[in-house]
């Protein structure tokens, strides 16, 4: 009898514990709770953190996030207004504003992410298709791009004027998608372009065009450099010729002055007397003999020639044959 009573007691205690466990639930600081009974919402949204009570086994606790959530969209290929295919990767921030509407329409976060992908992907595609690529690349219409000082004077291409810019496009997507997502109890806080890149099919063509433009810049630099080098070389040659001319003129002046002084010295030295003049003629004649006559030289001269003047004076026995 005691064993049976003990068993009943423990069974009753276990049932009470199970019922109590199923009757109590907690609400965290970062969540809200919606109680459903047979799939239908019951009562108000439980927004206050703490320990709460529900009907066990019949009512179900559905937890809804209060914090800001992240949507990271898949990168999609889409055309711009100027028929360029680009790959756009976007992300956004959202939160659940109306938990009841959110639960009735979507039930869970997985369904919400799928709906965000559909709506934001569609609005992004529409915004990109209505604008040219420059509108998506440039941050805003008021931003002035920085120019490399090296390329400041090189007119490669003219930047197209823009009317909106990427920030305004993101605001357009946010505005268009917010109204559609509000029907699901979702508040869209922000949408941004994470990355914009050319589609692989046109990327190589774009790279080839960029390389061609840079080649044009390089060719211009090389042409200007060659012209500057030619100018420098021409200036150098002109300066060298000027220096050579001045040096030659200086040398000729120095040599002329030296010759004049030497002539003056000779004149004053050899014109002092008749003997000095005769001695000078004698030395010059000997110098002429040394430069003209050698062992192999044969001279045919008349007896009146000046070259024979010294030879005539020699003793007949000492004259050369």
């Amino acid at each position: 009898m005691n064993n049976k009573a003990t068993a009943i007691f423990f069974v009753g205690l276990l049932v009470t514990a199970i019922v109590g466990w199923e009757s109590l639930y907690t609400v965290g600081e970062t969540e809200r709770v919606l109680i459903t009974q047979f799939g239908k919402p019951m009562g108000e949204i439980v927004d206050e953190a703490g320990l709460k009570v529900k009907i066990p086994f019949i009512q179900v606790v559905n937890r809804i996030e209060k914090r800001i959530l992240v949507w990271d969209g898949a990168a999609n290929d889409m055309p711009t207004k100027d028929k360029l295919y680009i790959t756009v990767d976007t992300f956004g921030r959202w939160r659940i504003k109306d938990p009841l509407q959110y639960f009735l329409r979507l039930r869970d976060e997985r369904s919400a992410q799928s709906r965000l992908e559909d709506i934001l992907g569609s609005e992004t595609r529409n915004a990109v298709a209505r604008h040219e690529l420059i509108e998506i690349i440039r941050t805003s219409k008021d931003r002035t791009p920085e120019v490399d000082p090296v390329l400041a004077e090189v007119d490669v291409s003219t930047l197209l004027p823009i009317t909106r810019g990427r920030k305004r496009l993101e605001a357009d997507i946010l505005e268009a998608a917010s109204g559609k997502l509000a029907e699901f109890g979702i508040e869209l806080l922000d949408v941004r372009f994470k990355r914009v890149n050319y589609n692989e099919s046109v990327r190589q063509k774009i790279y080839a065009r960029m390389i061609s433009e840079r080649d044009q810049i390089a060719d211009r630099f090389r042409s200007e450099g060659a012209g500057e080098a030619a100018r420098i070389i021409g200036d150098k040659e002109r300066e060298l010729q000027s220096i050579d001319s001045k040096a030659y003129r200086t040398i000729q002046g120095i040599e002329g002055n030296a010759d004049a002084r030497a002539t003056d010295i000779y004149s004053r030295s050899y014109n002092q007397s008749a003997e000095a003049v005769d001695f000078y003629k004698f030395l010059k004649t000997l110098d002429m003999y040394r430069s003209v006559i050698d062992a192999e030289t044969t001279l045919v001269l008349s007896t009146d020639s000046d070259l024979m003047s010294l030879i005539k004076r020699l003793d007949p026995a000492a004259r050369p044959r």
Side-chain angles (χ1 to χ4, degrees):
M1 185 67 180
N2 292 333
N3 292 335
K4 184 177 181 180
T6 302
I8 292 173
F9 172 76
F10 280 110
V11 170
L13 183 62
L14 179 61
V15 171
T16 302
I18 294 173
V19 171
W21 178 265
E22 287 293 328
S23 301
L24 300 176
Y25 67 94
T26 59
V27 179
E29 294 287 346
T30 62
E31 62 185 5
R32 287 170 287 193
V33 170
L34 176 65
I35 301 298
T36 58
Q37 184 172 319
F38 304 114
K40 296 182 179 180
M42 301 297 295
E44 299 293 332
I45 300 294
V46 181
D47 200 5
E48 184 180 355
L51 184 64
K52 309 296 179 181
V53 180
K54 67 178 181 65
I55 299 175
F57 304 110
I58 297 177
Q59 294 183 339
V60 178
V61 176
N62 299 276
R63 302 182 184 276
I64 300 174
E65 189 66 55
K66 291 171 63 175
R67 293 173 293 183
I68 295 176
L69 302 173
V70 178
W71 171 77
D72 192 356
N76 294 315
D77 295 337
M78 54 192 71
T80 62
K81 184 178 179 180
D82 45 354
K83 307 303 180 184
L84 290 175
Y85 276 86
I86 59 175
T87 301
V88 180
D89 193 358
T90 54
F91 72 95
R93 297 291 184 268
W94 63 282
R95 65 184 176 188
I96 301 170
K97 185 177 182 180
D98 188 345
L100 180 59
Q101 187 72 10
Y102 172 82
F103 180 80
L104 292 175
R105 298 294 299 272
L106 299 173
R107 293 285 175 173
D108 54 21
E109 186 177 339
R110 182 176 180 181
S111 300
Q113 291 284 0
S114 177
R115 189 53 57 94
L116 282 165
E117 180 73 29
D118 294 339
I119 294 175
L120 289 177
S122 175
E123 294 299 332
T124 301
R125 188 180 298 274
N126 292 337
V128 170
R130 291 194 302 267
H131 297 85
E132 295 182 350
L133 178 63
I134 188 65
E135 300 278 356
I136 303 170
I137 299 301
R138 293 280 295 279
T139 304
S140 65
K141 65 178 181 179
D142 300 323
R143 180 180 176 184
T144 302
E146 295 183 1
V147 179
D148 191 337
V150 178
L151 305 178
E153 299 180 357
V154 180
D155 185 14
V156 179
S157 60
T158 303
L159 291 176
L160 298 176
I162 65 172
T163 57
R164 302 178 67 81
R166 187 175 69 248
K167 286 185 178 180
R168 186 56 191 159
L169 263 67
E170 293 170 343
D172 291 345
I173 296 172
L174 176 64
E175 182 180 357
S178 294
K180 296 180 180 179
L181 291 172
E183 301 176 0
F184 302 94
I186 293 176
E187 180 185 6
L188 186 62
L189 301 176
D190 194 15
V191 177
R192 300 283 180 176
F193 290 159
K194 182 194 300 184
R195 180 174 57 197
V196 177
N197 205 347
Y198 289 109
N199 182 275
E200 187 63 33
S201 61
V202 299
R203 191 177 303 171
Q204 297 303 323
K205 295 180 181 179
I206 299 298
Y207 289 163
R209 187 176 68 182
M210 293 171 63
I211 292 172
S212 176
E213 290 179 352
R214 293 306 178 269
D215 286 341
Q216 292 179 10
I217 296 173
D219 290 340
R220 177 169 179 175
F221 281 148
R222 280 193 287 265
S223 176
E224 292 178 353
E228 186 68 15
R231 186 187 65 79
I232 293 173
I233 293 174
D235 293 343
K236 181 198 72 173
E237 295 294 337
R238 185 167 56 254
E239 290 180 4
L240 287 176
Q241 292 178 0
S242 177
I243 292 171
D244 289 342
S245 176
K246 291 179 181 179
Y248 179 76
R249 185 169 61 250
T250 302
I251 291 171
Q252 293 299 315
I254 294 173
E255 289 181 350
N257 292 332
D259 290 341
R261 291 185 63 187
T263 303
D264 181 64
I265 292 170
Y266 283 136
S267 176
R268 286 187 285 105
S269 298
Y270 295 110
N271 287 331
Q272 294 179 0
S273 63
E275 291 80 4
V277 174
D278 188 54
F279 181 68
Y280 175 75
K281 291 182 178 180
F282 174 73
L283 291 178
K284 287 299 182 181
T285 304
L286 291 179
D287 290 337
M288 183 184 62
Y289 285 167
R290 292 191 187 97
S291 61
V292 174
I293 302 173
D294 57 16
E296 302 296 330
T297 301
T298 301
L299 295 177
V300 179
L301 301 172
S302 66
T303 57
D304 296 332
S305 174
D306 291 337
L307 289 176
M308 297 293 295
S309 59
L310 293 180
I311 298 176
K312 290 179 180 180
R313 298 179 188 179
L314 293 177
D315 182 36
R319 293 179 183 176
R321 295 180 181 178

